[in-house]
């Protein structure tokens, strides 16, 4: 408490100083990107500079990216100017509309007067222009110019004075609607067999063992060799399955147990803008509903925003900008505690001789499934009590005070309240929660963020000076509650025999300051930027000296090459810090205490919080970049940009297991270095035709420099048997798991039965880091038509495909069906005496029993080395067609009327089937590259309409 009081005392004094906001606070920046005519831009690449973290806008131009204050977001799109945006606290939670300006081929102006004028232009380019200047949209700054209202023009003493008729009010009404159909293609699912029934070898024959036996394997006879007997039977309405000739002659069915359904997604946005000469008012309402891909539940999202701005006229010394936003989202089928993963695990492993949808309960009210060791996925869908509800309120007030023509102050006050309620419940008779289980988690977070900004810009003939100083004070509170209950007597959730409650309350005060000085030498077209960042926290330590230095040089003006449109070089070094969130949202550690077979009872309730003994993460960054623009031919331009980055993060914070309990620790020093490049070609034809292809290339490598305790490795995601790890000298996140025993010449050692031996110790078996990734974009426009598509490509990067190993083990995979007939196979390797192996084996000879089955002998999840697959993929991420009905119309009533069709994830190719390249294990942050019944990639086809009057 004493530390808090000291910080508050000094914070009140510091708020009057010239300083800048801190970096390192995490949040989500989201918005909508459009071109200068107001049309949405799908497929815009948004990257955090110096990293490979990024996203792209959807068909409506919407995007959302998790980042930290101080990060630089780089917006790049084929045929449009590249933009860099500095992330500030007020951007978190504020969904803003923005426009990107299209590049047009123009004849260059070459003169000394022009060059001198350019040198004096302000270089404040970090913000993407807002919709204030969008074509056919009244200015949202409240200072529209309507020449028809001019009543009289007086020119006196070289001054012009305008008088107007009575001010008018201008209205703008808009409606955007989208209807999409989501579905999962069979080619994006694991390959399952459709030949063999439930059962195991018995007396030298593959024998059918039905659900009442609780057999889990599908190594029974061929389904064509069975028929129904027609008797009353709890597990099938057609009767029991018996051998041909012993029943009623009705052949056995091959049941389709797919749980995926085509779902409908709708979204609507209605807005009203009112603009006068002095003020702008806005009301915006958004609603969307989406049915889950299982056809069971619908989730909803509602958002309501009120905004006000006063005029930004130059004659006004004080400007105001305010908004309040309410956001409510309810997900009625969330992936809490890996619910979706368990759902797919039970669906994929169901034998083809059992139909899940016939019924979910037996006569005794217990669960009806093909085995009491697995769940009926329909039981999970029908009986769960899962829901996530999010409510967010955001209020913001900004004002700007002009001190002189060269300087201004700006204050920004931002308040947000975010509450999240998670409900999870499964009744008795559920595998993993046999006596029933329910939990409720409530997280309520409040944040107050205030900024004072000062900017000064001075020009003369040969130089320009710009000073930026800001101060940021941030206050956060967190209230957490977790309630758990288990062992219910009935199938409801009343009167539990076991219950527990955990609460946690935290608060944090932070101050941050940054001073930045920029000096531009006009004759050299060079800018030098120097600054220092400081950060202080009531919980973690403080860092007062965090310098930054950047040099930017524009070489175009010195080369005098007519076809060279732009040529810049830049170098930057930055020292920064990251703080740890009050509530540690990366939940990847929760599954590290269980093995894959125990995932039925997985819960992510081992929550962690920041503590006083956790130091700030310290980041050291170096970056070199260039940007070149070339006029190849008349109306054909090429833009090329490249960046090399080298980042080092010391005291990286991860959960560490100590005495069966996880705790957050500063555990590793890690470097991340790489190269990014993008190239766009802008072809502008005649009759309003344009074609803009482009490519974005990214490659990076990581390395763990040090582990900051005595551990050899730190597991960060996965299971107890196979996981991603931090190991000194290895790339961050390498896979460690079971592997085959090898000799000094790397030959696999074969046992006396002819099968490979498994090493006693776990080994490094893969690296999820891709060799490189490429994004390829094409955009065509002609008159009122527009077409664009985006292709994602990744080369390399290992994936642990545990899904395939489990399906092989149970005999439900297509691979196990094809290979079970293999006999006399000799594994390549040597025996324990070093001699070449010559022992032949049969993969699934019924005479060898179940224990002699090649797929069963290595256990539920098999040998992890076998599950490592190439993560390369190609995905047609989006394709869009649109037609602008209102374009080039002279009337003012219909400002925008665009219709379009789109498709997302229409075609995907990968080295392995069954998982989305964009999904992680249990949807957790650090679990990328781990595939254990992850949700497959979802395709979508839809129609949209934008209307503005």
């Amino acid at each position: 408490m004493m530390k808090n009081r000291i910080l508050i005392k000094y914070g009140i004094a510091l708020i009057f100083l010239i300083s800048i906001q801190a970096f390192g606070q995490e949040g989500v920046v989201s918005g909508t990107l459009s071109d200068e005519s107001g049309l949405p831009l799908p497929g815009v690449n948004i990257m955090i500079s110096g990293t490979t973290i990024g996203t792209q806008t959807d068909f409506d131009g919407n995007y959302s990216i998790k980042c930290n204050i101080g990060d630089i977001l780089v917006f790049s799109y084929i045929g449009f100017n590249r933009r860099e945006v500095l992330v500030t606290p007020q951007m978190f939670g504020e969904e803003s509309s923005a426009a990107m300006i299209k590049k047009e081929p123009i004849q260059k102006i070459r003169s000394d007067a022009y060059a001198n004028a350019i040198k004096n232009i302000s270089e404040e380019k970090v913000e993407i222009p807002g919709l204030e200047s969008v074509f056919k949209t009244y200015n949202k700054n409240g200072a529209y110019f309507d020449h028809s209202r001019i009543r009289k023009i007086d020119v006196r003493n070289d001054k012009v004075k305008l008088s107007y008729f009575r001010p008018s009010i201008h209205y703008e009404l808009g409606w955007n609607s989208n209807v999409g159909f989501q579905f999962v293609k069979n080619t994006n699912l694991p390959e399952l067999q459709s030949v063999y029934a439930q059962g195991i070898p018995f007396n030298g024959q593959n024998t059918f063992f039905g659900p009442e036996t609780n057999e889990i394997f599908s190594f029974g006879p061929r389904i064509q060799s069975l028929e129904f007997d027609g008797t009353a039977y709890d597990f099938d309405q057609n009767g029991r399955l018996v051998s041909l000739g012993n029943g009623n002659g009705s052949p056995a069915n091959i049941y389709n147990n797919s749980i995926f359904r085509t779902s409908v997604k709708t979204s609507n946005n209605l807005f009203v803008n009112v603009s006068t000469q002095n003020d702008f008012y806005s009301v915006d309402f958004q609603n969307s509903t989406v049915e889950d891909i299982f056809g069971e539940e619908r989730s909803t999202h509602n958002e309501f925003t009120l905004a006000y701005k006063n005029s930004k006229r130059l004659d006004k010394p004080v400007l105001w900008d305010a908004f309040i936003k309410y956001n409510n989202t309810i997900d009625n089928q969330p992936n809490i505690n890996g619910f979706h993963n368990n759902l797919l695990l039970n669906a994929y492993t169901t034998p083809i001789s059992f139909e899940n949808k016939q019924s979910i309960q037996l006569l005794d009210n217990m669960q009806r499934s093909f085995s009491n060791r697995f769940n009926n996925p329909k039981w999970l869908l029908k009986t769960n009590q899962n829901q996530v509800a999010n409510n967010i309120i955001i209020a913001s007030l900004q004002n700007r005070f002009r001190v002189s023509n060269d300087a201004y102050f700006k204050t920004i006050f931002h308040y947000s309240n975010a509450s999240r309620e998670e409900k999870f419940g499964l009744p008795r008779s559920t595998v993993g929660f046999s006596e029933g289980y329910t939990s409720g988690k409530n997280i309520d977070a409040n944040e107050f963020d205030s900024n004072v900004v000062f900017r000064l810009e001075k020009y003369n003939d040969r130089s320009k000076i710009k000073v930026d100083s800001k101060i940021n004070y941030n206050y956060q509170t967190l209230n957490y509650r977790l309630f758990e209950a288990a062992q219910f007597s009935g199938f409801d959730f009343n009167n539990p025999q076991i219950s527990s409650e955990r609460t946690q309350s935290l608060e944090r005060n932070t101050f941050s300051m940054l001073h930045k000085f920029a000096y531009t030498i006009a004759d050299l077209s060079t800018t030098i930027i120097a600054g220092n960042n400081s950060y202080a926290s009531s919980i973690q330590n403080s860092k007062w000296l965090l310098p930054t230095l950047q040099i930017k040089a524009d070489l175009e003006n010195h080369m005098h090459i007519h076809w060279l449109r732009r040529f810049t070089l830049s170098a930057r070094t930055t020292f920064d810090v990251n703080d740890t969130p009050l509530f540690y949202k990366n939940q990847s550690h929760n599954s590290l205490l269980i093995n894959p077979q125990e995932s039925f009872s997985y819960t992510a309730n081992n929550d962690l919080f920041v503590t006083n003994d956790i130091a700030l993460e310290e980041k050291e960054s170096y970056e070199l970049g260039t940007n070149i623009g070339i006029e190849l031919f008349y109306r054909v331009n090429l833009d090329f940009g490249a960046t090399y980055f080298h980042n080092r993060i010391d005291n990286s914070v991860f959960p560490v297991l100590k005495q069966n309990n996880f705790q957050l620790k500063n555990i590793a020093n890690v470097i991340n270095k790489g190269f990014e490049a993008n190239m766009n070609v802008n072809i502008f034809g005649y009759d309003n035709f344009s074609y803009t292809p482009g490519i974005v290339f990214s490659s990076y490598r990581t390395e763990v420099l040090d582990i900051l305790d005595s551990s050899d490795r730190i597991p960060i995601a996965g299971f107890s048997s196979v996981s991603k790890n931090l190991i000194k000298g290895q790339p961050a996140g390498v896979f460690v798991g079971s592997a085959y025993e090898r000799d000094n010449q790397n030959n696999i050692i074969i046992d006396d039965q002819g099968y490979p031996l498994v090493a006693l110790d776990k080994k490094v078996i893969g690296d999820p880091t891709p060799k490189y990734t490429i994004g390829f974009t094409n955009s065509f426009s002609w008159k009122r038509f527009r077409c664009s598509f985006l292709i994602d490509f990744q080369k390399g990067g290992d994936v642990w495909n545990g899904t395939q190993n489990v399906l092989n083990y149970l005999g439900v995979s297509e691979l196990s069906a094809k290979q079970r007939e293999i006999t006399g196979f000799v594994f390549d390797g040597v025996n324990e005496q070093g001699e070449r192996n010559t022992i032949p084996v049969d993969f699934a000879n019924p005479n060898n029993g179940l224990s002699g089955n090649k797929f069963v002998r290595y256990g539920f999840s098999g040998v992890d080395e076998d599950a490592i697959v190439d993560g390369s993929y190609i995905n047609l991420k989006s394709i869009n067609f649109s037609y602008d009905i209102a374009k080039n119309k002279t009337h003012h009533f219909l400002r925008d009327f665009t219709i379009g069709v789109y498709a997302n994830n229409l075609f995907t190719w990968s080295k392995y089937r069954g998982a989305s390249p964009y999904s992680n294990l249990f949807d957790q942050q650090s679990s990328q590259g781990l595939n254990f019944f992850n949700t497959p990639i979802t395709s979508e086809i839809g129609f949209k309409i934008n209307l503005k009057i």
Side-chain angles (χ1 to χ4, degrees), residues 150 229 393 504 537 589 643-644 668 707 765 839 939 945:
I150 299 176
D229 65 2
I393 298 176
Q504 181 77 42
S537 170
H589 60 283
T643 302
Y644 170 79
I707 298 295
I765 57 176
I839 303 175
S939 302
I945 180 172

Side-chain angles (χ1 to χ4, degrees), residues 29-42 44 46 57 60-63 73 75 77 80-81 83-85 91 94-102 126-135 137 140 309 786 948:
V29 173
S30 60
T32 304
L33 293 182
S34 60
D35 61 17
E36 66 270 28
S37 63
L39 294 178
L41 291 177
V44 177
I46 303 151
T57 55
D60 298 314
N62 300 317
Y63 70 92
L73 299 183
F75 295 76
Y77 189 61
F80 287 75
N81 290 319
R83 288 288 183 266
E84 293 187 358
V85 176
M91 295 170 65
E94 177 180 352
E95 187 169 327
S96 59
S97 297
M100 294 186 71
I101 306 304
K102 195 167 187 177
V126 296
E127 293 185 0
I128 297 176
L131 280 181
E132 293 91 313
S133 57
V134 169
F135 176 65
T137 300
K140 291 189 176 183
K309 295 180 183 179
R786 172 173 290 183
K948 186 190 295 183

Side-chain angles (χ1 to χ4, degrees), residues 107-157:
Q107 184 64 34
K108 287 198 172 186
I109 301 174
R110 298 286 183 183
S111 70
D112 292 339
Y114 170 77
N116 291 331
I118 289 296
K119 294 172 185 176
N120 291 327
I121 292 178
S122 171
E123 294 184 357
E124 186 181 352
K125 298 178 180 177
V126 296
E127 293 185 0
I128 297 176
L131 280 181
E132 293 91 313
S133 57
V134 169
F135 176 65
K136 292 186 179 179
T137 300
Y138 286 109
N139 280 346
K140 291 189 176 183
N141 59 16
Y144 66 89
F145 180 74
D146 187 353
H147 63 85
S148 63
R149 287 187 52 246
I150 299 176
R151 179 178 182 181
K152 184 178 180 182
I153 302 176
D154 291 328
V155 180
R156 297 178 183 178
N157 300 324

Side-chain angles (χ1 to χ4, degrees), residues 296-506:
E296 292 289 339
E297 297 287 350
R298 296 190 69 84
S299 300
T300 61
H301 169 83
N302 292 285
E303 185 175 291
F304 183 76
T305 305
L306 291 174
Y308 166 78
K309 295 180 183 179
N310 73 338
S311 172
K312 292 185 178 178
R313 295 183 306 178
L314 295 178
D315 61 338
K316 286 211 169 192
V318 181
L319 305 176
W320 294 90
D321 188 347
F323 75 86
I324 186 168
K325 177 183 294 186
Y326 172 72
N327 181 303
N328 170 260
T329 302
I330 297 178
D331 186 349
N332 287 312
Q333 201 70 270
N335 194 22
I336 302 178
N337 298 333
F339 180 78
H340 292 173
N341 301 73
N342 276 314
L343 192 63
L344 298 181
L345 166 60
N346 289 277
Y348 293 163
T349 55
T350 303
I352 60 172
S353 51
F354 184 87
E355 188 174 40
N356 287 314
K357 66 181 181 182
Q358 284 189 20
S359 175
I360 63 172
Q361 283 184 303
L362 300 172
L363 294 177
D364 59 1
N365 292 325
M366 300 300 285
Q367 181 184 176
R368 172 187 171 274
S369 65
F370 77 90
S371 170
N372 62 7
R373 295 161 62 185
F374 283 79
N375 289 302
N376 184 327
K378 291 293 183 180
W379 168 275
L380 297 177
L381 287 170
K382 296 293 185 182
T383 64
N384 78 83
Q385 301 292 309
N386 305 343
Q387 186 186 79
V388 171
N390 287 289
N391 290 280
I392 302 174
I393 298 176
I394 303 171
S396 177
L397 177 64
Q398 304 180 28
N399 53 34
R400 175 172 167 170
F401 306 90
R402 190 172 69 252
V403 179
S404 66
N405 291 333
D406 301 320
Y408 69 81
F409 276 99
K410 187 175 183 179
T411 62
I412 305 168
F413 301 98
H414 193 80
Y415 170 77
S416 65
N417 171 264
S419 62
R420 178 180 176 89
E421 182 180 12
E422 296 182 4
K423 297 179 181 178
F424 179 85
L426 287 168
R428 288 171 51 90
S429 190
T430 301
V431 178
F433 305 98
S434 58
E435 300 300 320
Y437 171 84
T438 185
S439 66
K441 186 183 297 185
N442 298 86
I443 303 172
D444 187 80
N446 291 275
E447 181 173 1
F448 173 75
D449 192 88
S450 62
N451 299 271
V452 176
V453 182
F454 174 77
R455 168 164 290 181
L456 171 68
E457 291 184 279
K458 283 285 188 180
Y459 303 88
N460 59 40
D461 293 338
R462 296 185 175 274
S463 65
K464 169 188 170 183
I465 296 175
K466 183 166 72 171
V467 177
D468 282 300
S469 292
K470 298 183 183 178
I471 184 170
N472 170 260
Y473 167 69
N474 184 276
Y475 175 68
Q476 301 176 50
T477 64
L478 175 76
N479 292 301
Y480 167 94
R481 176 182 179 269
L482 172 65
F483 174 80
E484 295 180 279
Q487 295 188 11
F488 298 93
S489 57
F491 286 91
D492 54 20
F493 296 97
N494 298 322
N495 303 317
Q497 296 184 28
I498 298 176
S499 64
S500 65
E501 182 173 333
R502 177 190 176 190
T503 61
Q504 181 77 42
S505 294
L506 292 170

Side-chain angles (χ1 to χ4, degrees), residues 137-335:
T137 300
Y138 286 109
N139 280 346
K140 291 189 176 183
N141 59 16
Y144 66 89
F145 180 74
D146 187 353
H147 63 85
S148 63
R149 287 187 52 246
I150 299 176
R151 179 178 182 181
K152 184 178 180 182
I153 302 176
D154 291 328
V155 180
R156 297 178 183 178
N157 300 324
D158 297 328
K159 294 183 178 180
V160 178
K161 182 179 180 181
L162 303 180
S163 59
Y164 299 90
F165 293 103
R166 290 187 59 186
S168 58
I169 299 176
H170 291 266
Y171 301 91
E172 184 176 65
L173 176 64
W175 173 59
N176 302 320
S177 183
N178 183 88
V179 178
F181 299 91
Q182 297 182 328
F183 55 94
V184 177
K185 299 172 61 177
N186 287 332
T187 54
N188 293 329
L189 297 174
E191 293 182 287
L192 303 178
Q193 62 95 6
S194 57
V195 178
Y196 297 96
Q198 185 176 4
I200 58 173
F202 182 73
N203 291 334
Q205 297 289 329
N206 290 327
T207 305
F208 175 76
F209 286 87
E212 70 276 10
T213 68
N214 294 313
E215 189 55 68
I216 64 174
F217 295 99
S218 290
F219 289 106
R222 292 179 179 270
I223 192 74
Q224 293 88 346
S225 66
L226 302 174
E227 64 183 18
F228 291 108
D229 65 2
T231 61
Y233 183 49
D234 284 348
F235 292 96
D236 198 307
Q237 59 193 13
N238 299 296
R240 298 175 184 268
L241 284 176
V242 295
S243 300
L244 286 177
N246 296 317
N248 61 5
S250 298
N253 294 325
I254 300 176
Y255 291 118
N256 179 4
N257 285 299
S258 174
I259 60 174
F260 299 108
R261 301 290 183 268
T262 298
S263 63
V264 179
K265 170 186 175 183
T266 63
S267 63
N268 290 278
N269 173 216
L270 179 65
F271 61 89
V272 179
N273 299 325
V274 180
S275 184
T276 70
Q277 182 180 4
N278 297 315
D279 304 286
F280 167 80
Y281 305 88
S282 174
V283 179
D284 186 284
F285 175 72
Q286 298 181 35
N287 168 266
S288 62
T289 62
V290 57
E291 187 179 21
D292 65 55
I293 57 176
F294 313 113
E296 292 289 339
E297 297 287 350
R298 296 190 69 84
S299 300
T300 61
H301 169 83
N302 292 285
E303 185 175 291
F304 183 76
T305 305
L306 291 174
Y308 166 78
K309 295 180 183 179
N310 73 338
S311 172
K312 292 185 178 178
R313 295 183 306 178
L314 295 178
D315 61 338
K316 286 211 169 192
V318 181
L319 305 176
W320 294 90
D321 188 347
F323 75 86
I324 186 168
K325 177 183 294 186
Y326 172 72
N327 181 303
N328 170 260
T329 302
I330 297 178
D331 186 349
N332 287 312
Q333 201 70 270
N335 194 22

Side-chain angles (χ1 to χ4, degrees), residues 686-697:
Y686 297 95
D687 199 19
N688 293 321
F689 172 81
S690 68
Y691 169 49
T692 53
I695 190 170
V696 178
F697 173 90

